[in-house]
Amino acid sequence: MRAARLIKMVLLLQSRPSMTAAELARELEVSERTVTRDAQALSEAGVPVYADRGRAGGYRLVGGYRTRLTGLARSEAEALFLSGVPGALREMGLEDAASAARLKVSAALLPSLRDAPDSAAQRFHLDAPAWFREPETPALLPAVARAVWGDHRVLARYRRGESEVERVLEPYGLVLKAGVWYLCARVAGAGSFRTYRIDRFGAVETLQERFTRDPEFDLPGHWAEQAERFARSILHAEVVVRLSPEGVRMLRYAVDPLAARQALSGPSEPDGAGWVTVTLRVESEEVAHGQLTALGAEAEVLAPQALRERFARDAARLAALYGDPRPRGRTNAGSDAG
């Protein structure tokens, strides 16, 4: 533990002109007294750490000292490419590896480029979860992530409906979609790739046996194909909708993007007011009601008749509520009428 801290201290000092004891203590998560003892230990080991006294003082390396500890380990190099997603790194248990990698890269940079990590951090940040949703990290995610990075097979129990199944999986890759973690894996011996929600795993045991990756497997391509297949599988019903020009613009924000693209790929010719008629695939009439309500008066449901009647009832209720421009419950108390 102390050896790793001493290495990190050297790398910190190598990447900056000087650092105060308070700054080092904060970065190393120790007390300033421990920083003093560590600096003394480094000096005794031959690392030229110099302490400047006074209010503007601090610790620095003398004479442009460069450590040879800047070689990246494989796990650190892999984690470095994910350093733009700190939340995801933390959830996978790779935050320490990414931090060490960034320090090593910073230490290897020319002085004129030392501000590159901070500059990049101020220009790009990824916040993956959807709005108005508190993401929960699956308890088994770090174990699954370790198996993915190490190409280890896992014995996993997975909830499927009301039952639980057990499979030996070859975990190929992780996907974070709108705050939900998924595992793309191949069932051992089956050859087919499947996608699992990690929060539905009941147990995961990492096996000693490693698997050989298929060099043709493409994680982004696999995920895109699976996502489109899933979207198609749940769009069972059809709704015929008449849309205003504004409704056409808003449709992709209200319904499934794939369904919106398909609907708008072949609409009818615009009528005199610019409205078009489209056939929209939806999960169910119930879901369609909630989605199309968001379009308000920019959409008119033509079919099925039951859904059209439901919107007609909604419109009647809204007319009753808003027919009188005065808010309900308003009185004339305090008026000037005499």
Side-chain angles (χ1 to χ4, degrees), residues 130-145:
W131 286 106
F132 313 118
R133 180 173 183 172
E134 189 67 30
E136 294 185 4
T137 303
L140 295 173
L141 175 61
V144 175

Side-chain angles (χ1 to χ4, degrees), residues 159-238:
R159 293 194 305 276
R160 179 183 291 173
E162 299 298 322
S163 61
E164 216 174 42
V165 297
E166 190 172 83
R167 296 280 188 274
V168 175
L169 303 177
E170 297 175 348
Y172 267 66
L174 293 166
V175 175
L176 178 60
K177 169 71 171 179
V180 180
W181 284 95
Y182 296 87
L183 172 68
C184 297
R186 184 167 59 183
V187 179
S192 58
F193 288 94
R194 301 178 185 176
T195 303
Y196 302 85
R197 274 186 61 146
I198 293 182
D199 58 7
R200 292 180 183 168
F201 281 119
V204 173
E205 178 188 349
T206 302
L207 306 178
Q208 291 298 316
E209 182 182 1
R210 293 175 179 265
F211 64 92
T212 301
R213 284 179 167 266
D214 181 352
E216 301 298 320
F217 178 77
D218 172 31
L219 180 60
H222 170 79
W223 176 257
E225 180 182 333
Q226 290 292 307
E228 182 166 335
R229 183 181 302 171
F230 173 75
R232 292 180 186 276
S233 71
I234 65 173
L235 301 177
H236 300 296
E238 287 188 350

Side-chain angles (χ1 to χ4, degrees), residues 104-128:
K104 289 182 178 181
V105 170
S106 296
L109 293 175
L110 294 172
S112 60
L113 299 177
R114 293 279 166 76
D115 65 338
D118 291 336
S119 177
Q122 293 303 318
R123 286 165 173 78
F124 175 76
H125 176 71
L126 176 63
D127 186 7

Side-chain angles (χ1 to χ4, degrees), residues 196-331:
Y196 302 85
R197 274 186 61 146
I198 293 182
D199 58 7
R200 292 180 183 168
F201 281 119
V204 173
E205 178 188 349
T206 302
L207 306 178
Q208 291 298 316
E209 182 182 1
R210 293 175 179 265
F211 64 92
T212 301
R213 284 179 167 266
D214 181 352
E216 301 298 320
F217 178 77
D218 172 31
L219 180 60
H222 170 79
W223 176 257
E225 180 182 333
Q226 290 292 307
E228 182 166 335
R229 183 181 302 171
F230 173 75
R232 292 180 186 276
S233 71
I234 65 173
L235 301 177
H236 300 296
E238 287 188 350
V239 176
V240 180
V241 188
R242 185 167 168 263
L243 298 170
S244 71
E246 179 64 10
V248 170
R249 187 190 70 80
M250 294 171 57
L251 185 65
R252 63 192 179 99
Y253 301 109
V255 304
D256 178 82
L258 174 63
R261 288 198 303 271
Q262 291 177 337
L264 297 175
S265 64
S268 65
E269 289 295 322
D271 61 18
W275 288 55
V276 297
T277 300
V278 302
T279 299
L280 178 68
R281 294 190 61 81
V282 294
E283 185 174 347
S284 65
E285 290 186 17
E286 182 67 28
V287 171
H289 176 263
Q291 292 175 332
L292 295 176
T293 295
L295 300 183
E298 306 301 330
E300 177 190 2
V301 173
L302 303 180
Q305 185 62 28
L307 184 59
R308 179 178 175 83
E309 291 173 357
R310 184 170 181 178
F311 273 99
R313 291 193 296 271
D314 290 347
R317 291 176 60 197
L318 287 170
L321 285 173
Y322 291 99
D324 186 342
R326 295 174 301 176
R328 290 177 182 271
R330 181 175 179 180
T331 68

